[in-house]
Amino acid sequence: MFKVHGFLNNKRVINWRMEHLPRLGDTLRFAGEKYGTVTEVIWCIDESDKEGQRVNLRIEHAPDQPQHADGEGGK
């Protein structure tokens, strides 16, 4: 388990525990219509905690929404 802080355009949008982490370049969806791309994964190895390893994610706004399987956009 990981303690994750995620920052979308320098504003914290993630503050919870995650079993898996997104990778550099992965696209994430927030609140159904907001998208962001992971631009940095920061392992906070100097912070030990019984609840899990702390990780910070830097996320930049992704204006283009991923296409659905039917070819339609995200709306």
Side-chain angles (χ1 to χ4, degrees), residues 3-6 12-17 54:
K3 289 175 56 174
V4 180
H5 288 173
R12 188 161 66 183
V13 295
I14 296 175
N15 183 19
W16 60 74
R17 309 295 179 266
R54 168 82 179 286

Side-chain angles (χ1 to χ4, degrees), residues 11-69:
K11 179 181 177 187
R12 188 161 66 183
V13 295
I14 296 175
N15 183 19
W16 60 74
R17 309 295 179 266
M18 298 173 76
E19 288 186 46
H20 307 283
L21 292 174
R23 297 171 295 179
L24 189 65
D26 281 352
T27 299
L28 309 177
R29 184 183 74 190
F30 302 93
E33 296 297 323
K34 285 185 180 178
Y35 290 84
T37 301
V38 177
T39 59
E40 190 172 11
V41 178
I42 304 152
W43 292 90
C44 304
I45 60 172
D46 60 340
E47 295 183 29
S48 61
D49 192 307
K50 63 183 177 195
E51 295 181 17
Q53 176 63 52
R54 168 82 179 286
V55 178
N56 288 343
L57 301 175
R58 181 173 298 167
I59 306 162
E60 298 296 328
H61 176 70
D64 296 326
Q65 299 177 13
Q67 294 292 312
H68 289 245

